[in-house]
């Protein structure tokens, strides 16, 4: 079975075509600048195709994706009928979805109802779904939610200490994100350790541009650092993470900012970028810090400290942890970030082997043989989870 995986952003669309007989990646690519002009970058094995193409909307982008997949030169299928299902990443499923589902009108309505909760993400996700319905009529489609894995959190973890009526009226609570990634790396970590996931307490750290930590108890999310929106929690590339809410109204008043201004500032101009004034990219920050840039050094220290403190909270939430797991762009690639974060866990009995830690993008246990707790690198693969869920929904 060939499954097309789609991740639609406001002006972008990432895709992968997977053959689920053997979980082989057949092709992948990215459409950018949708609604502006349009650019496609497509890759199938060692064949690459890049083109500027008119993409006034997501339907046009999906059409170019299908054309690229069908192309005689860089394509991988002969007929569109070979695509037997589409799986969509949907950011927000609210309290409606605790797992992946096949899409029908009711599901679309529920995704639409969550647009208020994720105004930047859910509308393009829905547009992508509608575009596929139009261009691949009759092909089953599945929705895989970033929030679903975290629906197992208990009320003590997901409620905010604000008047309860606000939860009842508007569903204001912690939802958590990156659920597909946390679920995948927790399962892979268990397989790597040769233990059933159900018997393990794990702290999974998804450290990319957006970053979150999750307490995974027996394969289920017990708590996570992102909240009502992906702005809460860790210091991120450009997002502030936790901040005293009173500081927000103070800044708005002093700087004459509107709600939109301040939201933009907290989402796009804060985090390690805001503190360092250098970059949101950890490669640039590590280089600048090495060259003596004090603010870049402080931004990095803040990042390590916040991840470590949050993981420490989760060690308490889980009453101990068998392993800390690192994933995503920074977690998989930065030897320094992993070393610095783990240096806060010696009280939990974690000792790290620097030689083993000196690796990138592959599954590794970099704790020492005598360490009481394990430290793992597990590369994430959200697209594979989406394709697997889609396949199993159709079985
Ligand atoms: P996104 O949240 O956009 O999916 P990724 O998981 O792809 O993010 O992570 C992107 C980030 O990973 C980059 O911004 C960069 O900070 C970091 N990164 C990638 N490679 C390295 C590296 N070799 N060393 C340090 N950081 C890296």
């Amino acid at each position: 079975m060939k499954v097309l995986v789609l991740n639609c952003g406001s002006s972008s669309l990432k895709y992968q075509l997977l053959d689920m007989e053997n979980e082989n990646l057949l092709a992948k690519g990215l459409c950018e600048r949708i609604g502006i002009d349009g650019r496609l970058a497509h890759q199938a094995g060692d064949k690459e195709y890049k083109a500027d193409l008119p993409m006034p909307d997501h339907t046009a982008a999906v059409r170019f994706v299908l054309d690229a997949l069908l192309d005689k030169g860089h394509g991988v299928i002969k007929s569109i009928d070979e695509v037997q299902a589409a799986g969509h990443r949907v950011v927000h499923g609210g309290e409606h979805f605790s797992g992946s589902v096949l899409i029908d009108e009711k599901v679309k309505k529920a995704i639409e109802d969550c647009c208020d909760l994720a105004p930047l993400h859910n509308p393009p996700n829905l547009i992508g779904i509608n575009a596929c319905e139009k261009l691949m009529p009759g092909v089953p489609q599945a929705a895989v939610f970033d929030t679903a894995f975290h629906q197992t959190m208990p009320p003590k973890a997901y409620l905010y200490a604000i008047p309860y009526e606000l939860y009842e009226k508007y569903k204001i609570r912690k939802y958590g994100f990156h659920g597909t990634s946390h679920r995948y790396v927790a399962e892979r970590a268990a397989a790597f350790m040769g233990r059933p996931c159900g018997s393990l307490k794990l702290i999974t750290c998804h450290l990319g541009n957006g970053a979150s930590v999750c307490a995974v108890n027996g394969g289920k999310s017990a708590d996570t650092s992102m909240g009502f929106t992906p702005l809460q929690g860790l210091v991120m590339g450009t997002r502030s993470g936790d901040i005293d809410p009173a500081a927000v109204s103070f800044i708005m008043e002093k700087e004459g900012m509107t709600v939109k201004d301040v939201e933009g500032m907290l989402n796009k101009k804060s985090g390690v970028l805001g503190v360092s004034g250098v970059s949101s990219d950890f490669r640039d920050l590590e280089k600048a810090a090495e060259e003596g840039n004090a603010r870049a050094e402080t931004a990095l220290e803040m990042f390590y400290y916040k991840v470590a403190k949050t993981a420490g909270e989760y060690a308490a939430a889980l009453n101990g942890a068998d392993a800390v797991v690192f994933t995503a762009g920074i977690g998989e690639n930065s030897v320094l970030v992993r070393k610095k974060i783990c240096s806060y866990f010696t009280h939990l009995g974690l000792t790290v082997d620097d030689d083993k830690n000196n690796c990138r993008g592959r599954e590794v246990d970099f704790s020492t043989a005598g360490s009481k707790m394990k430290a793992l690198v597990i590369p994430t693969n959200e697209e594979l989870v989406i394709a697997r869920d889609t396949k199993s929904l159709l079985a």
Side-chain angles (χ1 to χ4, degrees), residues 237 269-281 284-285 288 293-300 302:
K269 295 187 178 155
S270 300
V272 289
L273 169 70
V275 175
S276 68
V278 172
S279 171
S280 62
D281 192 301
D284 301 337
L285 284 172
N293 185 313
R295 271 170 57 189
E297 179 65 34
T298 304
L300 285 170
M302 286 170 71

Side-chain angles (χ1 to χ4, degrees), residues 44-156:
D46 52 10
K47 286 179 230 153
E48 281 187 19
Y49 170 68
K50 283 190 179 151
D52 291 332
L53 297 161
M55 297 177 189
D57 54 32
H58 285 72
T59 309
V62 175
R63 196 171 284 130
F64 286 122
V65 169
L66 299 180
D67 286 349
L69 294 171
L70 283 162
D71 189 85
K72 283 209 174 69
H74 49 260
V76 287
I77 50 173
K78 290 203 172 67
S79 152
I80 207 62
D81 299 339
E82 287 180 48
V83 180
Q84 282 155 299
H88 295 264
R89 175 194 182 206
V90 180
V91 166
H92 219 307
E95 290 185 328
H96 303 281
F97 303 104
S98 55
S100 304
V101 288
L102 283 175
I103 297 171
D104 58 16
E105 287 308 311
K106 249 171 93 179
V107 168
K108 282 192 350 188
K109 171 76 176 55
I111 296 172
E112 200 178 324
D113 289 344
C114 293
C115 282
D116 244 9
L117 301 175
L120 298 180
H121 295 101
N122 273 31
N125 296 160
L126 259 181
I127 292 171
I129 291 167
N130 286 327
C132 282
E133 272 182 359
K134 197 165 154 195
L135 297 171
M136 299 188 290
V139 172
Q141 302 196 64
V144 179
F145 300 91
D146 269 28
T147 49
F149 181 59
H150 302 299
Q151 279 297 299
T152 46
M153 285 189 293
K156 67 178 177 188

Side-chain angles (χ1 to χ4, degrees), residues 14 178 206-211 237 239 272 279-286 327-335 337 360 380 382:
K14 285 189 207 154
H178 294 143
H206 178 109
L207 309 178
N209 263 324
R239 288 175 231 166
V272 289
S279 171
S280 62
D281 192 301
F282 275 60
R283 287 160 289 199
D284 301 337
L285 284 172
E286 287 179 12
T327 197
I330 302 163
E332 290 167 28
N333 292 299
S334 177
V335 176
V337 167
R360 291 198 164 82
T380 194
E382 289 158 285

Side-chain angles (χ1 to χ4, degrees), residues 38 43 78 127 138 236 258 260 293 301 310 326 350 389:
Q43 202 185 335
K78 290 203 172 67
I127 292 171
M236 301 180 222
T258 62
K260 227 176 157 196
N293 185 313
E301 290 292 344
T310 309
F326 292 90
L350 175 65
D389 279 10

